[in-house]
């Protein structure tokens, strides 16, 4: 690596170093190859970079590369380009049943919306199942991360202040039973589901509105999409009832789903586009705490 000038970092005079084109290309190549930023940082330090200056150079390089990539991709795409719709999971509610039998359980249909496709189901999980999942997840909780749009890895994000963990598919008896129930409800293979995620929100914690699909414009999406294609549906299962707040919101249509223990909220999106109106968020918990499990469904087998 050389330190000849092309872009100058904006640290104080004693700490100025220059990001050469060669170094910039090397940093980007490392990120695209999936090398962890900490490893890149160590290599830069070994080449004589001060840690704080190296961190700043890394951040600037990756940020400007991401911006350039997004701008180029958007410029190349036709205006308002919408991907072709694909088949999505759905529950058998066409004839407006008040209850549906799903394997071993009667589930009530509390609300059904077409656009965005949202269903709210009562009694999807028993109280005992909810408590079991919380007890299994509790010792494994860590600060929730979101997808790193450049590499397809994950990173801590201020928009998501919950704590969370992932189960392996079929990891325990209760997880396996719930996954089979989801597959039966939505006529979607168990293999197309990501591992169940559990989130825990304390008062003030929230998940700001976002889309669950992966935006193809981001360079990191290509890697993620190799493992089973796009996400096409989300099932949220409320594992407790917060005293106040913590609803799931759909800002495009002014909908808020109350987080009630055992109930589930399903929504789908047949293309990675805002026109699906699938923007949604976890409203801040105001009083009490919130436990929720998320099952994301992919187009194909998720490996
Ligand atoms: O916890 C929620 O209510 C929530 C809201 C939006 C969870 C997710 N998204 C998610 O896990 O994607
Ligand atoms: Zn979400």
């Amino acid at each position: 690596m050389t330190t000849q000038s092309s872009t100058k970092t904006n640290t104080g005079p004693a700490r100025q170093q220059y990001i050469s084109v060669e170094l910039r290309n090397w940093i980007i190549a490392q990120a695209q190859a999936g090398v962890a930023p900490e490893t890149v940082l160590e290599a830069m330090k070994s080449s004589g970079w001060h840690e704080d200056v190296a961190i700043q150079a890394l951040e600037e390089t990756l940020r400007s590369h991401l911006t350039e990539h997004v701008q180029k991709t958007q410029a190349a795409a036709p205006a308002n380009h919408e991907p072709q719709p694909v088949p999505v999971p759905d529950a058998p509610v066409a004839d407006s049943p008040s209850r549906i039998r799903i394997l071993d359980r009667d589930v009530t249909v509390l609300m059904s919306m077409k656009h965005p496709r949202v269903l709210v189901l009562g009694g999807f999980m028993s109280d005992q199942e909810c408590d079991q999942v919380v007890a299994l997840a509790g010792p494994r909780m860590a600060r929730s991360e979101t997808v790193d749009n450049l590499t397809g890895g994950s990173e801590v994000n201020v928009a998501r202040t919950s704590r969370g963990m992932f189960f392996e598919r079929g990891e325990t008896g209760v997880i396996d039973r719930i996954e089979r129930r989801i597959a039966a409800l939505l006529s979607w293979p168990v293999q197309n589901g990501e591992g169940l995620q559990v989130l825990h929100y304390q008062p003030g914690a929230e998940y700001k509105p976002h889309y669950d699909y992966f935006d193809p414009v981001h360079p990191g999406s290509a890697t993620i999409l190799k493992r089973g294609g796009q996400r096409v549906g989300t099932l949220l299962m409320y594992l407790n009832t917060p005293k106040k707040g913590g609803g799931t919101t759909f800002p495009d249509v002014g909908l808020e789903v109350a987080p009630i223990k055992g109930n589930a909220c399903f929504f789908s999106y047949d293309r990675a586009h805002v026109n699906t109106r699938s923007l949604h968020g976890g409203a801040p918990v105001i009083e009490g705490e919130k436990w929720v499990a998320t099952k994301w469904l992919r187009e194909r087998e998720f490996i």
Side-chain angles (χ1 to χ4, degrees), residues 25-298:
N25 290 345
W26 178 80
I27 291 175
I28 292 164
Q30 300 306 301
Q32 285 172 337
V35 178
E38 303 77 50
T39 312
V40 179
L41 182 61
E42 283 312 313
M44 289 175 74
K45 280 162 58 185
S46 310
S47 303
W49 285 70
H50 292 288
E51 179 163 12
D52 50 352
V53 184
I55 290 172
Q56 196 167 10
L58 253 176
E59 281 178 352
E60 275 180 23
T61 302
L62 295 175
R63 199 178 310 117
S64 71
H65 174 66
L66 181 59
T67 309
E68 274 168 30
H69 179 92
V70 168
Q71 282 167 350
K72 266 192 223 153
T73 315
Q74 280 171 343
N80 255 333
H81 170 72
E82 272 193 61
Q84 285 299 311
V86 296
V88 292
D90 206 9
V93 295
D95 55 350
S96 305
S98 51
R99 271 169 192 274
I100 42 180
R101 179 89 189 160
I102 307 298
L103 301 179
D104 54 335
R105 262 188 103 68
D106 278 328
V107 172
T108 50
V109 182
L110 300 176
M111 197 282 284
S112 159
M113 183 181 258
K114 283 207 166 70
H115 189 209
R117 178 49 151 168
V118 181
L119 289 173
V120 181
L121 303 163
F124 183 76
M125 286 172 67
S126 70
D127 280 3
Q128 196 200 5
E129 286 170 336
C130 292
D131 297 343
Q132 279 177 327
V133 173
V134 170
L136 287 168
R140 290 163 57 178
M141 305 302 280
R143 173 79 190 260
S144 296
E145 298 188 340
T146 51
V147 169
D148 178 335
N149 287 326
L150 182 65
T151 64
S154 49
E155 59 183 2
V156 165
N157 185 330
V158 287
R160 199 176 188 196
T161 46
S162 57
R163 291 171 66 76
M165 58 78 67
F166 279 92
F167 287 104
E168 293 290 320
R169 228 171 23 218
E171 189 176 318
T172 73
V174 67
I175 300 298
D176 186 60
R177 188 179 338 128
I178 292 161
E179 289 176 334
R180 286 171 193 274
R181 195 177 296 151
I182 296 169
L185 169 77
L186 301 170
S187 303
W188 208 252
V190 167
Q191 290 80 356
N192 292 23
E194 296 180 33
L196 198 71
Q197 178 196 231
V198 174
L199 297 175
H200 182 213
Y201 301 75
Q202 299 280 10
E206 65 180 316
Y207 193 176
K208 292 214 165 77
H210 59 274
Y211 297 95
D212 281 355
Y213 56 70
F214 305 108
D215 192 334
V217 107
H218 291 133
S221 294
T223 310
I224 296 171
L225 294 174
K226 282 185 194 141
R227 299 180 72 191
Q230 262 296 356
R231 285 181 179 159
V232 286
T234 306
L235 185 82
L236 298 175
M237 290 153 279
Y238 305 107
L239 304 177
N240 79 323
T241 307
K243 281 208 179 75
K244 280 187 193 164
T248 302
T249 58
F250 293 83
D252 288 347
V253 288
L255 172 65
E256 177 163 344
V257 176
I260 307 287
K261 185 173 183 176
N263 287 5
C265 173
F266 168 71
F267 52 99
S268 64
Y269 23 95
D270 63 6
R271 57 206 189 282
H273 199 275
V274 297
N275 286 356
T276 54
R277 299 188 187 164
S278 62
L279 183 70
H280 65 284
V285 171
I286 296 168
E287 203 181 323
E289 56 177 348
K290 174 183 171 189
W291 287 88
V292 64
T294 308
K295 172 62 83 174
W296 284 298
L297 302 161
R298 297 290 190 105

